Amino acid sequence: MSSNTHGLPLHTHKPSRRTTANRIFAVVYGCATLALISHHALSLLNSTTLTSFFISLTFLISDSILAFMFATTQSFHMRPIYRKEFPENLKRVVEESDFPALDVFISTADPYKEPPMNVVNTALSVMAYDYPIQKVSVYISDDGGSALTLFALMEAAKFARHWLPFCRNNNKVDCSPEAYFAIDRDSHLSDQVENIKVLLESNKDKDITGNLMPNLIYVSREKSKTSTHHFKAGALNVLLRVSAIMTNAPIILTLDCDMHSNDPQTAHRALCYILDPEVRPKLGYIQFPQLFRGINKNDIYACEHKRLFQIDPMGMNGLSGSNHLGTGCFFTRRAFFGGPSNFLPPEIPQLSPNNLVDKHIWSSEVMELAYCVAACNYENNTNWGLKMGVRYGSLVEDYFTGYRLQCEGWKSIFCHPDRAAFYGDIPINLVEVLNQNKRWAIGLLEVAFSKFSPITFGTRAMGPLMGLAYAHSGFWPIWSILILVCLPPPANSPQWSHYLPKVSEPWFLLYVYLFLGAYIQDFLDFVLAGGTFYRWWNDQRMWIIRGLSSYLFGLIEFLLKYSGISTHGFNLTSKVLDEDQRKRYEQGTMEFGVPSPLFVP
Ligand SMILES: O=c1ccn([C@@H]2O[C@H](COP(=O)(O)OP(=O)(O)O[C@H]3O[C@H](CO)[C@@H](O)[C@H](O)[C@H]3O)[C@@H](O)[C@H]2O)c(=O)[nH]1
Ligand SMILES: [Mn+2]
């Protein structure tokens, strides 16, 4: 199928050839699972002693968890589609001067864990987009309020005057100037004070060849100990408001500071959908996969997260569209203000997505209002974070926000071009990996057990397949219970093994089928998405390690919070690369980092 504008297709899609096989497998496997569960249920009813009762009950529960997980993954197999865009047709369909304006949001939070050099890299790489430059504005949110980051960006602004023409003239595609600066200043702006600085202004600043430059704006929002600031979600909402006051572009690209652009044509790709009049009215966001640079050959920590960042979103592509992955995503600004057919107006008209900005960025009126909407008490008694903007209430604000937008009726698109659109960094020691996964586990559980649970709320809003797809990640951490409770006893107690089927019994074949079926399908998914056997193997190994540490600890922390005993914060992942550590990583040595209770299991 293709979508035509003036006879020229901007994008097409085709279903995966494995769809029919997937559906048949789902039915057969589903029946086998039901047979097993009813078998356990029967033995539970017929159990004569207390021990046999408990053993059957354990089997029933654990196999039900497995069956639930199986059922949820099926949603990704029902209608996967491959999309293709034709950015080369764009210019024949729309004049470049009619391209929509683009606001880019980059977030950073701590100059020690996230070297300002990375932030600068990210910013320069998008400033070099092959896009009408006066339409681009780059906003940096600095939650650390760090002089170091601000200084690096001021230098970057100067550097950009030379760098951008250099990229243009040399047709450079990867425009991130690694290691250009050597910075050793060390001071902190006060955490409390807000600070907004226009470092480059597109109507005024020119590069050394006389061409215009994009806007570059530094925002460090006000923070106080007495008000919650909602981590990245809060930072993005401040940027949503500040950018509305200054430029109010209809399209927004969000990036983490550890992701840089690898293709200056990426915005054109996004336009292939945005400019399609059939897609546009319901289009909430276009998500690009998270891909990483510097993963070692066999990906020992399974940091690639192939399933999470590539395979599953592809599966959702044929339904209502991919979930949001936090970075590398083009949003339509309108999507943050109520569903496609019920607009939710913001509290002041200047924040409205259709408001036209007609004043200079640095005019006192604009600046005053920008400071006002970046203040820490601004959101009190408003809809921000509840029904408007990026949603609060989960440490995985990306998953939660994408989910809520889709529940409101917004569709999304997963765009996976051959040339990677963005590349990110990965943590390269075990403790960083496990801590990151623990934070995700807590965040996912916060959604799974809230009133917005994908099983109930999600299914009602988007239908069973999308509900299951979101439930798959949301409930993902609970299977750690399964390893803990069920695996150890059968392995070492004769009483338990008595309840497992003998090799001669037909039930044994069922077990073999269920076991092999699940593994083979998983392996095929992985390899057909470009993975290797060793990477798959390490992925399986990390699955167990994460289950016993990140997910288990995440589950416990979540329960503690649920019962009001403790709270949890956003543990930033460190992006500092130590050369020795990098060498060991490249050789494939597991590195534990620092002693941590996460290693106890
Ligand atoms: O108070 C905070 C905390 C974090 N961040 C930013 O959030 C981003 C993600 O943080 P990181 O430590 O890199 O977390 P990861 O686990 O690597 O990120 C994944 O998971 C996050 C949710 O937990 C998503 O926000 C990210 O997009 C997704 O890539 C970074 O740019 C941070 O600077 C803030 O701006 N303010
Ligand atoms: Mn990150």
Side-chain angles (χ1 to χ4, degrees), residues 328-357:
C329 189
F330 288 82
F331 284 94
T332 54
R333 189 181 282 269
R334 169 65 181 80
F336 291 110
F337 301 87
S341 47
N342 45 356
F343 176 58
L344 183 66
E347 53 298 332
I348 52 172
Q350 291 92 326
L351 294 181
S352 179
N354 41 31
N355 184 48
L356 260 181
V357 180

Side-chain angles (χ1 to χ4, degrees), residues 32-209:
T33 315
L34 283 181
L36 185 70
I37 289 183
S38 49
H39 173 67
H40 289 321
L42 278 181
S43 16
L44 184 73
L45 291 178
N46 297 335
S47 55
T48 43
T49 66
L50 208 58
T51 342
S52 73
F53 178 81
F54 275 113
I55 291 176
S56 301
L57 187 66
T58 316
F59 274 130
L60 183 64
I61 293 174
S62 57
D63 282 341
S64 302
I65 295 183
L66 282 175
F68 173 73
M69 283 166 53
F70 164 78
T72 58
T73 39
Q74 292 325 300
S75 52
F76 304 118
H77 290 123
M78 287 303 116
R79 216 180 320 156
I81 59 169
Y82 296 98
R83 294 183 182 277
K84 199 171 156 59
E85 305 76 36
F86 305 99
E88 62 277 10
N89 289 345
L90 211 53
K91 284 192 184 135
R92 282 183 269 165
V93 176
V94 210
E95 292 287 326
E96 249 197 10
S97 56
D98 291 333
F99 280 10
L102 174 68
D103 284 347
V104 183
F105 294 178
I106 299 171
S107 52
T108 182
D110 179 336
Y112 301 102
K113 283 184 164 182
E114 309 182 316
M117 197 42 231
N118 286 11
V119 187
V120 165
N121 239 331
T122 308
L124 287 175
S125 75
V126 281
M127 284 162 73
Y129 261 175
D130 177 13
Y131 202 80
I133 213 70
Q134 65 284 11
K135 290 184 184 265
V136 180
S137 308
V138 178
Y139 292 85
I140 317 267
S141 150
D142 179 14
D143 264 356
S146 142
L148 202 65
T149 308
L150 178 56
F151 172 72
L153 282 164
M154 284 158 70
E155 288 298 300
K158 288 189 220 151
F159 174 63
R161 290 171 211 266
H162 298 263
W163 180 248
L164 301 185
F166 172 75
C167 290
R168 240 190 335 265
N169 297 337
N170 296 292
N171 246 335
K172 246 177 118 347
V173 281
D174 171 6
C175 286
S176 64
E178 300 255 31
Y180 179 81
F181 306 101
I183 302 158
D184 56 353
R185 303 208 180 173
D186 184 12
S187 69
H188 254 273
L189 300 175
S190 157
D191 266 350
Q192 314 291 325
V193 189
E194 61 191 317
N195 188 5
I196 302 176
K197 283 211 153 50
V198 181
L199 302 177
L200 285 177
E201 206 223 319
S202 82
N203 291 323
K204 204 174 74 197
D205 291 292
K206 298 217 166 94
D207 66 25
I208 52 158
T209 59

Side-chain angles (χ1 to χ4, degrees), residues 107-108 114 143 232 256 290 326 397 436 439-440 573 575:
S107 52
T108 182
E114 309 182 316
D143 264 356
K232 184 183 167 191
D256 288 348
Q290 279 211 40
E397 79 301 320
Q436 181 193 44
R439 161 160 46 82
W440 292 354
T573 311
K575 285 106 187 164

Side-chain angles (χ1 to χ4, degrees), residues 17-29:
R17 266 178 299 166
R18 286 180 293 140
T19 311
T20 316
N22 280 340
R23 292 182 184 175
I24 296 174
F25 179 77
V27 172
V28 177
Y29 198 94

Side-chain angles (χ1 to χ4, degrees), residues 330-460:
F330 288 82
F331 284 94
T332 54
R333 189 181 282 269
R334 169 65 181 80
F336 291 110
F337 301 87
S341 47
N342 45 356
F343 176 58
L344 183 66
E347 53 298 332
I348 52 172
Q350 291 92 326
L351 294 181
S352 179
N354 41 31
N355 184 48
L356 260 181
V357 180
D358 51 5
K359 304 216 171 47
H360 262 298
I361 284 191
W362 41 259
S363 69
S364 57
E365 221 172 306
V366 166
M367 271 305 193
E368 260 165 45
L369 196 53
Y371 271 100
C372 162
V373 295
C376 64
N377 290 324
Y378 178 82
E379 290 181 354
N380 295 351
N381 306 318
T382 65
N383 281 322
W384 287 95
L386 304 172
K387 291 183 188 161
M388 200 184 278
V390 180
R391 306 302 147 91
Y392 302 150
S394 165
L395 283 178
V396 284
E397 79 301 320
D398 46 353
Y399 167 86
F400 188 44
T401 304
Y403 166 64
R404 291 283 303 277
L405 295 190
Q406 292 206 314
C407 287
E408 288 173 1
W410 294 104
K411 302 276 180 261
S412 70
I413 296 238
F414 186 61
C415 186
H416 195 342
D418 293 335
R419 183 188 172 88
F422 305 99
Y423 271 126
D425 295 329
I426 37 142
I428 55 168
N429 71 55
L430 194 56
V431 76
E432 288 286 342
V433 171
L434 294 181
N435 269 320
Q436 181 193 44
N437 283 248
K438 187 181 82 178
R439 161 160 46 82
W440 292 354
I442 298 174
L444 292 171
L445 290 169
E446 282 173 321
V447 180
F449 292 101
S450 71
K451 68 174 180 197
F452 296 110
S453 180
I455 291 288
T456 48
F457 187 87
T459 306
R460 236 177 295 130

